[in-house]
Amino acid sequence: MGKLGLLDHADGAPLTPDVGRETLLQFVDAVEEGFEGLFATLAEDLPPIHGVTSELRTITGDGGHEIGLHVHRPEGVEGPLPVIYQVHGGGMVMLAAKGALYTRWRDELAAAGAVVVGVEYRNGGGALGPHPFPAGLEDCATGLRWVADHLGELGGTHIVVTGDSGGGNLALALPIKAKREGWAEAIAGVYAQCPYILGDWTEASLPSLVENDRYWLNRSLFPLLAEVYDPGAGNAAEATCWPYHATAEDLRGLPPHVISCNELDPLRDEGVAYHRALLAAGVPSIGKVNLGLCHVGELMFRSAMPDVYAEAVRDVLGFARSLG
Amino acid sequence: MTTDVSTPHIPPGRLGDPGLTIGTDPRADPRMARSWGSSGSSTTPTAPR
């Protein structure tokens, strides 16, 4: 077994979703600590990024709570620029925009020529929880609408939403929510990486859930995180909770999407299915499968695979520019 | 070059060989696989210790 403990099969989750909420929340705390430790290790010794400034803006959510917006912008670049609204991963129940992996990702996107805004939304569990669905999505929407209302002040032209894994879920849910509420014009496009959207992983209903199970991510983890996000599966069929279940009516008229999946990801096939659903509903969508990569591998291994990381930056930014 | 397929199809990943891991699946980018084994962390994110 490698030093990360992940060259062999990843450990099975030691719990079942019915163990009780407190136990599940404690489990998420431990998983979050593990993920942040992993990401901090992978971010060690990366070369510094020059020419990018960042600031934390704080806005107020509907419940009176604070929502942090991490704004990154390139220095000395003539604007206005596309705005990339970045939603971090973590199964909607853990991790943070301020973490090492996502701070680096925003810096890299900004250095390439975008204003990047990372939203610190309430999580279903972990250090920024516990706030089940729809709290996090509501925060993401509040932050996005603030960015849209302050586009000129930010030096932006238009907004592309991007997110990975659980952030991919939220990135896909946002335009569905926006369409229902009548503000979809705020979103010019959506770029989702390895989205975590199925909502029910008790059965291996898609081939990649078996094909790539325990390739870092263990399928048995997903139902536990899902129970923390959506207790009692009360929103199992709700498209803004689990976008895999979006109907053609939910999707019709949405802005262009990119659905980027990874070959060795257990979640690959739910992303592929979503891409096909978008196309069936008449939404322009580019579907990608990145060969040889595990879940979110293009963001994790900046040192080992700088060309892969750079391609991810180019692709997100190129998509954003194409919509200007 | 022939277009004849003479070798049997083996489903990819653990569908075809349940014993495969991210370190042994031939589809994995070898740089990624090496990284899993050399980052110096003992962190395993899927289960608490």
Side-chain angles (χ1 to χ4, degrees):
Chain A
M1 181 176 283
K3 290 181 180 176
L4 284 175
L6 296 164
L7 281 181
D8 294 335
H9 292 155
D11 293 343
L15 307 172
T16 55
D18 59 359
V19 294
R21 184 156 176 80
E22 285 307 310
T23 302
L24 285 175
L25 288 171
Q26 290 171 11
F27 174 73
V28 169
D29 288 345
V31 175
E32 181 175 53
E33 182 179 353
F35 269 98
E36 288 289 18
L38 169 66
F39 294 157
T41 298
L42 291 169
E44 288 176 353
D45 304 324
L46 291 178
I49 296 177
H50 300 290
V52 173
T53 63
S54 62
E55 62 173 327
L56 176 61
R57 305 285 293 262
T58 302
I59 63 173
T60 303
D62 287 344
H65 60 286
E66 293 185 343
I67 301 171
L69 298 175
H70 298 270
V71 181
H72 302 235
R73 67 178 79 240
E75 291 180 318
V77 176
E78 291 292 325
L81 301 171
V83 174
I84 296 174
Y85 187 74
Q86 182 259 335
V87 188
H88 72 79
M92 300 85 74
V93 298
M94 59 181 164
L95 304 181
K98 67 182 178 184
L101 181 82
Y102 295 113
T103 298
R104 179 74 189 201
W105 177 234
R106 289 191 301 277
D107 276 342
E108 297 260 9
L109 288 168
V115 177
V116 187
V117 181
V119 56
E120 201 72 277
Y121 59 87
R122 289 172 291 173
N123 282 328
L128 299 179
H131 303 286
F133 174 86
L137 178 63
E138 294 290 350
D139 288 355
C140 291
T142 299
L144 178 55
R145 299 190 76 171
W146 185 91
V147 171
D149 289 342
H150 295 78
L151 206 52
E153 175 189 337
L154 292 168
T157 50
H158 60 285
I159 304 169
V160 165
V161 178
T162 189
D164 66 292
S165 193
N169 174 311
L170 294 164
L172 297 175
L174 278 167
I176 298 172
K177 175 179 173 64
K179 177 186 166 185
R180 290 178 182 174
E181 297 175 356
W183 53 276
E185 73 284 353
I187 304 171
V190 177
Y191 194 116
Q193 296 166 308
C194 306
Y196 161 85
I197 55 175
L198 181 59
D200 180 1
W201 293 273
T202 51
E203 302 291 333
S205 55
L206 298 166
S208 63
L209 291 169
V210 176
E211 179 185 324
N212 301 321
D213 188 26
R214 299 193 171 198
Y215 284 6
W216 180 34
L217 291 186
N218 188 317
R219 192 179 77 227
S220 65
L221 177 68
F222 306 148
L224 307 181
L225 303 185
E227 175 61 24
V228 171
Y229 184 56
D230 180 25
N235 297 280
E238 167 53 45
T240 59
C241 188
W242 303 111
Y244 184 87
H245 302 287
T247 65
E249 180 52 34
D250 288 322
L251 301 177
R252 197 169 295 120
L254 295 189
H257 282 55
V258 177
I259 309 296
S260 180
C261 308
N262 289 352
E263 185 182 27
L264 273 64
D265 184 356
L267 303 180
R268 181 194 65 210
D269 290 344
E270 53 203 80
V272 170
Y274 197 83
H275 161 69
R276 291 176 177 148
L278 287 165
L279 292 178
V283 178
S285 180
I286 297 169
K288 298 177 58 180
V289 176
N290 300 303
L291 301 181
L293 299 185
C294 67
H295 183 65
V296 201
E298 67 271 48
L299 301 188
M300 292 174 60
F301 300 105
R302 170 69 173 73
S303 287
M305 303 188 294
D307 50 346
V308 171
Y309 193 101
E311 193 277 338
V313 171
R314 283 197 308 273
D315 208 50
V316 174
L317 188 62
F319 176 64
R321 285 176 171 155
S322 76
L323 301 173
Chain B
M1 184 174 181
T2 176
T3 58
D4 293 341
V5 176
S6 57
T7 54
H9 173 69
I10 300 174
R14 300 191 66 203
L15 288 168
D17 180 356
L20 282 179
T21 71
I22 200 168
T24 60
D25 191 315
R27 300 173 301 167
D29 188 313
R31 300 170 297 176
M32 180 188 72
R34 282 196 298 272
S35 292
W36 282 124
S38 63
S39 291
S41 166
S42 59
T43 304
T44 302
T46 53
R49 299 292 187 186

